[in-house]
Amino acid sequence: MLLGLAACEPEHNAVACYGVCGDGTECVSGKCVVAQAESAPEPEPEDKGKKKRRRRRKKGGSHGDAVSSDGFKPVDDSNVPGYDPKATKTMDLGVGTERLGDRVVNQHLGRLEPKFNKCIETSAMHYDGDIKGELDFVLSIKSSGKVGGVTVKGSKSLRDSGVVPCVRKVVYGHRFPSFDGATMGVDYSFKVN
């Protein structure tokens, strides 16, 4: 379903990523980025003659320990911008008033379902637990047809398994038809059982 020009705008920067940033990440300028690891406090040496050893913490991605230890790494979506509600409110007198219709948008998003399923299947093979819940997308489509940004909310298992970054990257890489109008916002969701 298409969002009108009165799309919800976050009141604070803390909700700019709509809560999709997982453990080990933080929202910076509408993007989920890997948080700086806090170093563990160094223990006091028992013998002052011994040298202190530095303990290094392994930098974890947004899905850290929740993903199995078989070498699976979730898709890196750090280059995918989040949805910016201000982009859909910008008025440009140099563009027309055309917008993509619901049917066209739904057809294009429907074409992405095999790729969404691949994300779910790949993550399920490497995740220790059930993957289920609902994925809620909000994205912007520029007049060129390029996706300007996408934010995806999902259940804990969908976030922890690596499904969310994978589907974000799929949507961001898709090209919609071009149109003579301002950037538009789109809402989309589906259930994973």
Side-chain angles (χ1 to χ4, degrees):
M1 178 188 303
L2 295 177
L3 292 175
L5 289 177
C8 295
E9 183 174 339
E11 293 178 9
H12 303 291
N13 199 18
V15 295
C17 291
Y18 298 93
V20 299
C21 297
D23 292 336
T25 63
E26 59 189 4
C27 183
V28 176
S29 300
K31 295 181 184 178
C32 296
V33 296
V34 176
Q36 295 294 326
E38 295 179 24
S39 59
E42 293 185 22
E44 289 295 319
E46 293 177 21
D47 181 4
K48 294 191 180 204
K50 292 182 181 178
K51 289 184 178 181
K52 287 185 182 181
R53 286 192 198 191
R54 286 185 140 187
R55 295 186 65 164
R56 291 186 181 191
R57 289 183 63 182
K58 189 176 180 181
K59 287 187 178 181
S62 60
H63 307 291
D65 300 331
V67 179
S68 69
S69 61
D70 65 356
F72 171 72
K73 291 186 180 184
V75 171
D76 179 11
D77 66 342
S78 61
N79 69 331
V80 178
Y83 170 74
D84 179 8
K86 293 177 185 172
T88 60
K89 293 182 179 184
T90 304
M91 299 303 281
D92 184 355
L93 300 176
V95 298
T97 59
E98 190 176 60
R99 297 174 65 78
L100 296 178
D102 288 351
R103 194 177 113 246
V104 171
V105 171
N106 285 331
Q107 283 175 341
H108 275 263
L109 289 170
R111 291 178 195 160
L112 296 178
E113 286 184 14
K115 291 181 180 180
F116 295 155
N117 289 336
K118 183 71 174 166
C119 289
I120 294 163
E121 289 170 14
T122 301
S123 295
M125 289 174 25
H126 302 282
Y127 181 70
D128 187 27
D130 291 334
I131 297 178
K132 59 184 174 181
E134 188 165 337
L135 286 170
D136 296 313
F137 299 76
V138 61
L139 61 131
S140 59
I141 304 173
K142 298 178 180 182
S143 62
S144 63
K146 180 159 178 28
V147 174
V150 59
T151 298
V152 179
K153 290 184 191 177
S155 68
K156 181 171 175 29
S157 67
L158 292 168
R159 291 189 316 266
D160 290 348
S161 65
V163 172
V164 169
C166 185
V167 297
R168 284 187 73 232
K169 198 158 187 172
V170 166
V171 172
Y172 186 66
H174 185 71
R175 189 74 153 203
F176 290 85
S178 60
F179 56 96
D180 183 19
T183 299
M184 57 186 283
V186 174
D187 244 346
Y188 183 72
S189 65
F190 66 87
K191 288 187 179 186
V192 177
N193 295 327

